Amino acid sequence: MAEVNISEARKAYGALNILHGVNIDIRDGEFVVLVGPSGCGKSTLLRMVAGLESITGGTISIGGKIVNNLPPKDRDIAMVFQSYALYPHKTVAENMVFALRLQKQPADLIKQRLQAAAETLDLVPYLDRYPRQLSGGQRQRVAMGRAIVRSPQVFLFDEPLSNLDAKLRVQMRKEIKELHQRLRTTTIYVTHDQVEAMTMADKIVVMQGGKIEQTGTPLELYDRPRNTFVATFIGSPSMNLLKGHYKADGAVFVTETGDEIALGFTPEASDGQAVLLGVRPEHLSLAPSGLKTTVNVTEPTGHETMVFLRYGSGELVAVLSERHDFEPGQAVTIAARPGKLHLFDAESGKTLRRD
Ligand SMILES: Nc1ncnc2c1ncn2[C@@H]1O[C@H](COP(=O)(O)OP(=O)(O)OP(=O)(O)O)[C@@H](O)[C@H]1O
Ligand SMILES: [Mg+2]
């Protein structure tokens, strides 16, 4: 096990800059998730840690040792890819121990590691099968088994669950988390599924366009997003953003249609400043007075009701914990839970909360 330090890491392909100086400190045993939209540089960064991609600038160190010029096999890491990349003509067992064979490890150590990994991953009955005879979830476990048998200092995962159906993804997510609780191996996990990020991570790194937007625990990012990008990226459905301006007298947000919402905190904003009010869908509820909206679409999920509401020229999403039978076009009045509001500058998108 080891800590991983990424300092001012840069990547360019010719004149094209992909990563613009990325800093991440990962503690020994920590589970860090990289999230961000497609093309923001997640895989590139992971491949740089693995040694599969050269480092244009900055340093990457593993266990206190700079690895910039170290070949992948000397970095003591194991990577699990989205496409499991199993050898089709090798059995499950052969796939799992291939790397150990290459390292010319003693036969009894190989056998012992294989047995332990197969038990951990529920693969004992499948060891003699070929990848084509396995389900997607089982193949995924073999790919993980191949990483585990090496007992590396660091696990790197690049969207390992994205080829699985929704139910299997939820199950494997839990299994990877359990595995991490047991092995405590430092892990960097890439996904663009923000639910995976929220549920698995000790720490989330939100990236956009080759830069880090914010780093923090899942709840830090959820409760105190630094800007509208993080605010809308973390959380599903996304945080609502209402256009309007700030009224200093009484610390009030004024919507475009003139409704007033008390913020409950004093932001770093000036009177009349163009701002965006951020409200999470679960913090909206029906109320005797508040914003007058009309129902657009209702989506009952069984345990809650998601409702899309027209308000002024925009749309709001509310997640209500009770069941409702709204008619399209029905008028409903909603209010935001006090103490749960966010305020951002309309132009820069930066938070205006002081804390
Ligand atoms: N070999 C290459 N040459 C030039 N540009 C590349 C190369 N590899 C990747 N890129 C570019 O680098 C950027 C980052 O790619 P990367 O694969 O790291 O994104 P990602 O965040 O993993 O996206 P996704 O979520 O779609 O997997 C993209 O714009 C991509 O087009
Ligand atoms: Mg990728």
Side-chain angles (χ1 to χ4, degrees), residues 25-48:
D25 288 318
I26 302 166
R27 288 194 310 269
D28 185 16
E30 205 169 22
F31 195 113
V32 169
V33 176
L34 303 182
V35 287
S38 188
C40 73
K42 306 179 294 294
S43 296
T44 303
L45 184 58
L46 204 66
R47 292 169 61 81
M48 284 159 70

Side-chain angles (χ1 to χ4, degrees), residues 210-351:
K211 290 198 181 96
I212 293 180
E213 292 285 348
Q214 192 170 354
T215 301
T217 65
L219 294 183
E220 272 165 10
L221 297 192
Y222 196 83
D223 293 339
R224 293 194 295 282
R226 195 180 284 165
N227 54 40
T228 51
F229 180 80
V230 177
T232 52
F233 195 82
I234 298 289
S236 174
S238 278
M239 182 188 283
N240 295 292
L241 293 176
L242 276 166
K243 285 188 198 159
H245 69 268
Y246 175 64
K247 190 170 104 180
D249 182 15
V252 169
F253 170 79
V254 186
T255 70
E256 285 184 316
T257 43
D259 287 315
E260 297 199 350
I261 299 172
L263 292 171
F265 64 94
T266 308
E268 242 164 320
S270 49
D271 191 45
Q273 184 174 337
V275 294
L276 297 167
L277 181 79
V279 194
R280 294 221 176 263
E282 68 271 28
H283 297 145
L284 288 171
S285 53
L286 302 183
S289 67
L291 306 181
K292 301 215 175 327
T293 70
T294 49
V295 172
N296 193 5
V297 170
T298 309
E299 293 184 349
T301 62
H303 75 292
E304 57 195 14
T305 310
M306 181 144 81
V307 52
F308 296 85
L309 303 158
R310 245 178 250 121
Y311 175 70
S313 59
E315 190 175 57
L316 289 171
V317 186
V319 172
L320 308 172
S321 52
E322 325 79 44
R323 295 190 176 183
H324 293 279
D325 240 340
F326 296 123
E327 291 294 323
Q330 185 178 336
V332 280
T333 304
I334 55 157
R337 267 235 312 276
K340 296 288 184 186
L341 299 171
H342 302 260
L343 199 72
F344 305 97
D345 179 62
E347 203 167 318
S348 68
K350 291 204 176 104
T351 183

